[in-house]
Structures are given as structure tokens and as C-alpha cells.
Amino acid sequence: MKIKISRHYLYISLLSIFLFLFVLVFSFGILIPKGKDYRTARLELKKENLELQKYQNFHDNMLKTLKNLQSKNRHIISAFHTTFYPARFEKQHKALFSSLKISKVSRAKDDEGFATYEVNTTSQISSPKNFYNFLDALNKSDWIIGVNFPIDFKRDGEMIKSSFTMQVYANNKDKNSTASGSVAK
């Protein structure tokens, strides 16, 4: 008995066997080992995405806090960039005192990018209430000013003489511009 198989069937069956063997070799040789690598890489990616999400949430919370603080303290931030002018200071606060004199303006040491100026003042006021109004006005002024203690009050007839030292914090633009320039290089 002779089996008659046409050539087309023979070619198709040989091609099918070849393709089947190719698929088996490709699967066991390349796909399965790469699949294990893919699963481990996918697990690592999930861990990194969780860590990224944690840091992103932290960043978002800190950014929200920063924006909130910047909006609340906008006046203080802008005050650090305002240049201190003793004549302007004297003109603004002369109304609270019968006489206000700034006796010395000397530059003290630089503190972390800010120049500190000491201002010694002597004034005559009619009541301590004027002095407290002056302190309130300092809080609302265009500069960051710290009043140093002790504050000396001496009665002179109907007037009260006060003497105290203030520190005016102004942004040291020279130091900051050189620092930012050296970082940029």
C-alpha cells in the first residue's frame, strides 16, 4: 500500500513542524527567562512608584506649607529686601516723639547673608504709651527691626527720655549675588 500524500500537504506539515519547533525553542530559550526578569522588574517598578508617590505627597505638602507661609509672611519677606534709610525712618516715626535722633548707624558683622545695622536712638516722649505705639509701628514698618533691651527711661520734668538700641536687618545684596553667582558656575 502506497500512501499518497500530495506535495502541498507535505510542505505544509513540514512547515508546521518547523514553526512548532521554532515556537518551542523561542518560548523556552527567550520568552520564559525574560518573563522572570520582567516580573522582577515590574515588582521593583511598583516599589519605586510607591516610594515616588510618598515623596511626591511629601513635596506637595511642603509646597502647600511653603505657599501658605509665603502668603502669610509676604510683608516680612519683602521687608528683608527693603534698604534701610535712616532719614526715612526718622521722618516716619518723628510724629510719635517730641524729638527723635538717630545718633549712630554702623555696620556690624554679616549674619548668614544679611547685613545687621545698629541704630542708637534717644528720644523724648510725653508718656510710655507713645513708646508702645512706636513699637507697634515698628512691627508694621518696611524693615525688619529688633529692639534690644535694656530700654532706659528717665524722667525729665514733664517729659520721659528713652534710650535704646535697635538692629535693622537688611538683605546683604552683595554677598547674596556673589554666592548665587558662584553656585551657578
Side-chain angles (χ1 to χ4, degrees), residues 134-178:
F134 168 71
L135 290 178
D136 286 338
L138 284 181
N139 285 335
K140 297 173 186 170
S141 70
D142 294 337
W143 308 289
I144 304 295
I145 298 175
V147 177
N148 297 335
F149 292 97
I151 300 171
D152 296 327
F153 290 106
K154 293 182 184 172
R155 185 168 186 88
D156 184 24
E158 293 290 319
M159 301 301 265
I160 300 171
K161 287 186 177 181
S162 64
S163 177
F164 56 94
T165 303
M166 297 185 310
Q167 285 186 323
V168 180
Y169 296 96
N171 191 3
N172 188 359
K173 292 180 176 89
D174 296 334
K175 187 172 183 178
N176 285 340
S177 65
T178 58

Side-chain angles (χ1 to χ4, degrees), residues 21-99:
L21 290 175
F22 177 76
V23 167
L24 286 177
V25 169
F26 182 75
S27 297
F28 288 110
I30 296 174
L31 285 181
I32 292 174
K34 294 293 181 183
K36 290 178 184 177
D37 293 341
Y38 169 76
R39 283 191 295 274
T40 57
R42 188 178 68 193
L43 289 175
E44 285 181 31
L45 180 65
K46 280 185 180 180
K47 288 178 187 176
E48 289 177 5
N49 281 340
L50 286 174
E51 190 173 344
L52 175 66
Q53 187 63 35
K54 182 176 77 170
Y55 287 126
Q56 188 67 39
N57 290 340
F58 178 74
H59 173 267
D60 292 342
N61 288 337
M62 288 298 112
L63 184 64
K64 183 179 176 184
T65 304
L66 173 68
K67 294 298 181 186
N68 189 18
L69 288 173
Q70 282 178 337
S71 65
K72 281 183 181 177
N73 301 314
R74 184 174 357 125
H75 179 72
I76 295 170
I77 293 169
S78 65
F80 271 118
H81 298 292
T82 304
T83 306
F84 179 69
Y85 297 108
R88 183 174 166 217
F89 176 82
E90 200 171 319
K91 183 180 175 183
Q92 279 183 346
H93 299 292
K94 195 147 184 104
L96 296 172
F97 301 97
S98 60
S99 70

